[in-house]
Amino acid sequence: SQKIEQNSEALNIQEGKTATLTCNYTNYSPAYLQWYRQDPGRGPVFLLLIRENEKEKRKERLKVTFDTTLKQSLFHITASQPADSATYLCALDMTGYSTLTFGKGTMLLVSP
Amino acid sequence: GAVVSQHPSRVICKSGTSVKIECRSLDFQATTMFWYRQFPKKSLMLMATSNEGSKATYEQGVEKDKFLINHASLTLSTLTVTSAHPEDSSFYICSARGLAGGTQYFGPGTRLTVL
């Protein structure tokens, strides 16, 4: 079965720096790879979706890359702010109509 | 963006009672809705998938008679926790996906506490 690893449980960076979060998977590449943000006591909020045939996608300060050879997605937040502090979840959808398989998440803490 | 609501956001009930949680897609038609539960500091665990007008598909280990799911319309799914016990206390989250597939949009979650 598909296994997903997110780089670490927690990542601490200083405000203004770029945060880079990693999502690695083991088996077949998904049709869609999605990134969500989750704050304590709240449901996940959708951030970005990248398709199997896409290399990179951007949205404001966010950038996602997808390398099917390495079986890896990188999620970048540039000019990070304390308000970006949250847990970020990587999720795979194998067909576009499948259930999501989630990683355990990476908690990002941006210090002023 | 697509908005999914859940109601109630928080519920406290006595052991043995049943609790209903509603999940609504506010600005799109959700052909498929999903129900998850999440324990503290853990990732989301899928409980069941429901398609509008069909019976829900439950994940292994999830009791269908305990967690009743109804997806009666393209904008509403309900989860009823029957005869709730303290071990059912958890954070329940729904998500919805439209006809075109792809992104799942999540509700804000419901915190259930069973005394």
Side-chain angles (χ1 to χ4, degrees):
Chain A
S1 60
Q2 186 74 270
K3 288 185 181 176
I4 303 173
E5 280 187 12
Q6 293 194 238
N7 54 329
S8 61
E9 287 195 7
L11 182 64
N12 292 299
I13 65 167
Q14 264 201 306
E15 183 175 9
K17 302 289 185 186
T18 296
T20 299
L21 284 65
T22 306
C23 175
N24 293 295
Y25 57 93
T26 55
N27 293 348
Y28 299 106
S29 292
Y32 299 150
L33 191 148
Q34 305 181 40
W35 284 89
Y36 290 84
R37 168 187 173 138
Q38 187 174 25
D39 291 281
R42 303 289 292 172
V45 174
F46 171 72
L47 297 175
L48 280 169
L49 178 152
I50 189 163
R51 292 177 172 78
E52 188 178 12
N53 60 353
E54 297 175 321
K55 297 288 185 189
E56 181 180 299
K57 187 164 275 189
R58 292 174 186 259
K59 179 182 172 184
E60 298 172 353
R61 294 185 295 113
L62 309 180
K63 184 177 87 171
V64 171
T65 62
F66 193 6
D67 188 326
T68 55
T69 302
L70 292 178
K71 298 188 179 182
Q72 181 182 78
S73 174
L74 298 179
F75 178 78
H76 305 273
I77 306 175
T78 57
S80 60
Q81 304 165 359
D84 295 327
S85 299
T87 296
Y88 291 85
L89 302 169
C90 164
L92 274 57
D93 180 348
M94 299 309 294
T95 67
Y97 289 89
S98 306
T99 57
L100 289 178
T101 303
F102 281 92
K104 291 185 177 178
T106 298
M107 186 184 300
L108 174 66
L109 180 60
V110 181
S111 305
Chain B
V3 180
V4 176
S5 70
Q6 266 183 257
H7 178 80
S9 58
R10 189 180 296 266
V11 57
I12 301 172
C13 68
K14 291 183 179 178
S15 188
T17 59
S18 293
V19 174
K20 180 185 281 189
I21 303 170
E22 290 188 351
C23 176
R24 292 180 186 273
S25 56
L26 299 185
D27 52 2
F28 68 103
Q29 293 187 323
T31 49
T32 307
M33 285 185 165
F34 305 85
W35 287 94
Y36 297 82
R37 67 188 294 183
Q38 187 175 33
F39 293 103
K41 299 190 186 297
K42 298 289 185 185
S43 194
L44 286 78
M45 185 188 83
L46 179 66
M47 299 174 66
T49 303
S50 74
N51 290 296
E52 185 264 338
S54 303
K55 286 186 178 180
T57 302
Y58 289 81
E59 295 299 301
Q60 194 170 11
V62 178
E63 299 175 58
K64 62 177 75 172
D65 294 331
K66 178 154 191 68
F67 299 100
L68 301 179
I69 292 171
N70 184 277
H71 190 166
S73 78
L74 286 171
T75 59
L76 173 65
S77 176
T78 60
L79 167 68
T80 302
V81 184
T82 61
S83 186
H85 288 98
E87 57 265 30
D88 298 324
S89 298
S90 190
F91 190 51
Y92 291 87
I93 313 171
C94 73
S95 71
R97 187 174 67 197
L99 184 62
T103 303
Q104 286 185 32
Y105 296 95
F106 285 81
T110 297
R111 172 72 59 191
L112 170 64
T113 303
V114 185
L115 303 176

